[in-house]
Amino acid sequence: GNSVTQMEGPVTLSEEAFLTINCTYTATGYPSLFWYVQYPGEGLQLLLKATKADDKGSNKGFEATYRKETTSFHLEKGSVQVSDSAVYFCAQGGSEKLVFGKGMKLTVNP
Amino acid sequence: EAGVVQSPRYKIIEKKQPVAFWCNPISGHNTLYWYRQNLGQGPELLIRYENEEAVDDSQLPKDRFSAERLKGVDSTLKIQPAELGDSAVYLCASSLNGLGEQFFGPGTRLTVL
């Protein structure tokens, strides 16, 4: 079945460090890909998405590119802030359901 | 515009007791989802509604779980009787015609003692 594998944390970075969170997927066909973020005490929020190969999603300084050849959707940010501390989930799917990775907790220290 | 509303936010019960969770989706969203998120895991779909019809309940443990969305708006998820392994966060999400982004509520954190 469809699945998502992502880097597991927790990860601690210093402010202004570079962030990469790896995500790969297995699927039949070409699903849409998503990154969701869960800030402490809050619900899941969509961070960015891509719906077809080579699409780049971006938001709040985060980027991810849909790579069909490597079945990947890695999340990157050039300079993290303390406010980026959260749990990040990679997901695939569409209107029927989302299949999530296990999530990665990121802590950014000043 | 109000987001997805869930209640209660937290619930602690003893095993074998019943429990119910309520969800009110974003106004106009006809697709509603219930997910369960175990500790340290990503959410997993339990059931999906299109209006009042449950179109995918293949992952819902039907011996003890039930759900309803009688008027195609708000929804209730019930567990009876609860087991220790049901401790998790239960998330409700909604989308417009099942397209694009799913909007999630804050979840109900259930602890079964």
Side-chain angles (χ1 to χ4, degrees):
Chain A
N2 296 350
S3 66
V4 172
T5 302
Q6 65 174 106
M7 271 178 62
E8 294 183 28
V11 169
T12 301
L13 296 175
S14 297
E15 205 165 24
E16 299 184 2
F18 183 83
L19 171 70
T20 299
I21 306 177
N22 289 338
C23 172
T24 58
Y25 67 92
T26 59
T28 53
Y30 303 104
S32 295
L33 301 175
F34 306 83
W35 278 100
Y36 276 81
V37 59
Q38 190 170 33
Y39 298 104
E42 299 184 17
L44 283 166
Q45 301 175 24
L46 180 66
L47 181 59
L48 53 83
K49 68 178 182 182
T51 58
K52 61 182 187 298
D54 299 325
D55 266 3
K56 177 185 284 187
S58 61
N59 186 26
K60 299 182 180 181
F62 291 89
E63 292 184 341
T65 301
Y66 192 142
R67 301 290 189 196
K68 184 177 67 174
E69 62 277 10
T70 55
T71 62
S72 65
F73 193 54
H74 304 322
L75 182 69
E76 296 183 337
K77 185 174 185 180
S79 176
V80 294
Q81 305 301 310
V82 172
S83 58
D84 294 326
S85 297
V87 181
Y88 292 82
F89 293 91
C90 184
Q92 63 154 300
S95 60
E96 295 178 350
K97 71 176 180 180
L98 293 174
V99 176
F100 288 86
K102 292 185 176 182
M104 195 207 79
K105 182 177 181 180
L106 171 68
T107 301
V108 181
N109 291 325
Chain B
E1 179 181 334
V4 176
V5 178
Q6 290 188 248
S7 68
R9 290 292 308 274
Y10 304 91
K11 188 74 176 179
I12 300 174
I13 61 172
E14 294 188 346
K15 63 181 180 181
K16 302 184 181 180
Q17 295 300 306
V19 64
F21 315 124
W22 177 80
C23 171
N24 196 31
I26 292 172
S27 178
H29 283 194
N30 65 325
T31 305
L32 184 147
Y33 312 78
W34 282 103
Y35 288 82
R36 177 168 60 185
Q37 185 177 11
N38 292 314
L39 187 64
Q41 304 292 318
E44 295 179 331
L45 182 71
L46 291 173
I47 188 168
R48 174 172 65 97
Y49 282 92
E50 297 287 349
N51 299 303
E52 65 275 8
E53 182 182 0
V55 295
D56 182 0
D57 63 357
S58 58
Q59 300 304 309
L60 189 72
K62 298 182 184 60
D63 56 336
R64 297 182 299 107
F65 286 65
S66 64
E68 60 183 16
R69 194 185 184 199
L70 294 176
K71 297 182 179 179
V73 180
D74 58 340
S75 175
T76 301
L77 178 69
K78 298 178 181 177
I79 308 174
Q80 182 171 10
E83 297 180 352
L84 295 176
D86 296 331
S87 295
V89 176
Y90 291 84
L91 297 167
C92 180
S94 69
S95 70
L96 184 60
N97 294 323
L99 300 175
E101 179 180 355
Q102 293 184 25
F103 294 82
F104 284 81
T108 296
R109 181 177 296 276
L110 174 67
T111 301
V112 182
L113 303 176

